[in-house]
């Protein structure tokens, strides 16, 4: 897969020719509603012929396997496909092999060294009889280079039937699904959530669901509500008992605590509560995880940060999701949602106090549109990355890219004369984030949130990692 940034005068036909790809493959992979209109600065993900195939309407796995000269079993294993019926037009499938034409003087060990494979892998992939003789002009299948294995969590706020297509379509890229949300009450009871539709969709793709518990009530995170439970051991025991009951009944694999704006004086109460949870849940095989505010230092001040003890959570929980997004938040000034330089500041601190293999880096799947000049009290609208590109196209403006933040943005003037500034994510910005995951050796990523169209993310993710299934 390649990433192409559209330039002035580009046409889709020319781009396809330059990469040896097919126009319809590019159109489907990028979900281009109007292929004749490209925006300067727009990114396109380009599948590599022979190595990647974008599913066409009417394709079956058997047909695709025949075309790529592999078995259906090899194709499904290489692409995390649990149910062969759950494939969708526009998804990219990777060929588990590529070809090599043997040249005079080559032998299997040398070819294996060239591609980072083992001689045994090449011998097995080509049914070569011992002692492994090959000849010039012979076509060999070479196993694709192994990619780093990562875990992927995705929150979803659409937990009813509306959210099912999202989960079914991207489920093969996910390790965990976190339906948002159950809230606590002062006595430790849980509110009711009817999330069975997305749980069934997760199960169909072998995705492990995590039960999200928050102190959210009446449209905000409530510090007093968290305090009521964290300062009352009886309420905590009630909460843990209800958690276990719901998790057993609905098939959850674990829990994710997202307590925000916790009073600083409840920092150790929160830690002790998590220890109680682990003591009750681990014997039954359940995972315990938390979501933490983005901190650059242990002593970072502010109600959002002070009660989130990175070192303790790293010791107690199975993993943590760092909420490394919302620098450009709806009520604030225009800015990149997750500027990579700021994300790295958080990671630089986090890896000093918690194991790297317990950290999921938060990644946004959305953008924002602000009215400018910005004034206090105005709220930006949320846009999907796909909608952001469409906004640029409709308004005839080029997309720019901030190299420091590794994020695309643009400005436009609407029909009323109001100026706007839009920050969002594209293939380049996601690649920068996945590079950080690999550089820091993290456990994986945690998306907020499914439901906003971002077709380019999934092939970029797939190009960088193999996704672990729980």
């Amino acid at each position: 897969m390649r990433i192409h940034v559209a330039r002035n005068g580009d046409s889709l036909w020319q781009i396809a020719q330059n990469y040896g790809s097919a126009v319809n493959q590019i159109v489907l992979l990028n979900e281009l509603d109007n292929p004749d209109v490209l925006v300067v600065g727009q990114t396109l993900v380009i599948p590599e012929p022979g190595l990647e195939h974008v599913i066409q309407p009417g394709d079956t796995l058997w047909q695709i396997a025949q075309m790529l000269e592999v078995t259906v079993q090899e194709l499904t294993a290489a692409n995390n496909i649990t149910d062969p019926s759950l494939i969708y037009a526009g998804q990219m499938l990777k060929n588990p092999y590529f070809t090599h034409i043997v040249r005079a003087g080559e032998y299997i060990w040398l070819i294996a060294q060239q591609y980072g494979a083992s001689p045994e892998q090449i011998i097995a992939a080509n049914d070569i009889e011992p002692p492994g003789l090959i000849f010039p002009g012979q076509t060999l299948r070479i196993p694709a280079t192994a990619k780093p294995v990562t875990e992927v969590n995705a929150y979803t706020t659409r937990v009813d039937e509306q959210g099912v297509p999202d989960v079914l379509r991207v489920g093969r890229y996910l390790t965990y699904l976190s339906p948002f949300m159950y809230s606590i009450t002062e006595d430790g009871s849980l509110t009711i959530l009817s999330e069975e539709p997305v749980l069934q969709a997760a199960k169909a793709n072998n995705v492990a669901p995590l039960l999200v518990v928050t102190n959210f009530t009446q449209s905000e995170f409530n510090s007093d509500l968290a305090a009521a439970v964290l300062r009352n051991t009886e309420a905590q025991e009630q909460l843990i008992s209800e958690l276990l009951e719901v998790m057993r009944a609905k098939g959850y694999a674990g829990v994710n605590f997202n307590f925000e704006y916790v009073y600083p004086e409840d920092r150790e109460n929160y830690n002790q509560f998590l220890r109680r949870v682990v003591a009750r849940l681990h014997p039954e095989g359940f995972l315990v995880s938390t979501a933490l505010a983005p901190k650059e230092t242990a002593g970072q001040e502010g109600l959002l940060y002070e009660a989130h003890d990175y070192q303790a959570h790293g010791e107690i929980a199975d993993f943590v999701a760092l909420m490394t997004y919302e620098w450009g938040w709806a009520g604030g000034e225009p800015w990149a949602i997750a500027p990579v330089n700021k994300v790295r500041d958080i990671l630089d601190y986090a890896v000093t106090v918690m194991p790297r293999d317990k950290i999921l880096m938060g990644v946004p799947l959305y953008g924002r549109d602000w009215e400018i000049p910005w004034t206090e009290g105005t709220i930006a609208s949320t846009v999907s990355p796909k909608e952001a590109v469409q906004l640029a196209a409709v308004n005839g403006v080029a997309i720019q890219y901030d190299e420091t933040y590794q994020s695309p943005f643009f400005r436009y003037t609407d029909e009323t004369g109001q100026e706007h500034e839009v920050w969002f994510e594209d293939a380049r910005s996601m690649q920068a984030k996945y590079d950080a995951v690999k550089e820091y050796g993290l456990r994986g990523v945690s998306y907020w949130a499914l439901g906003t169209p971002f077709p380019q993310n999934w092939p970029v993710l797939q190009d960088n990692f193999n996704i672990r299934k729980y």
Side-chain angles (χ1 to χ4, degrees), residues 112-125:
Q113 288 292 105
Q114 179 182 346
Y115 292 110
S118 70
E120 293 76 17
Q121 286 176 312
I122 296 176
I123 289 171

Side-chain angles (χ1 to χ4, degrees), residues 345-417:
D345 287 344
I346 306 307
L347 296 178
D348 286 341
Y349 164 60
V351 298
T352 66
V353 293
M354 63 175 69
R356 295 169 187 259
D357 62 1
K358 285 191 174 186
I359 299 173
L360 298 183
M361 186 183 85
V363 177
L365 297 179
Y366 59 93
R368 291 236 161 84
D369 181 341
W370 285 267
E371 292 184 356
I372 56 173
W374 181 79
T375 57
E376 186 79 38
T378 59
I379 303 297
S381 59
T382 300
V383 296
S384 72
K386 182 177 177 179
E387 289 168 339
V389 175
Q390 291 170 338
L391 268 175
V394 167
N395 289 281
V397 297
I399 294 170
Q400 302 174 64
Y401 194 74
D402 188 291
E403 294 293 342
T404 300
Y405 303 149
Q406 291 287 298
S407 183
F409 71 99
F410 60 90
R411 298 182 182 92
Y412 72 95
T413 303
D414 66 26
E415 63 277 4
T416 70

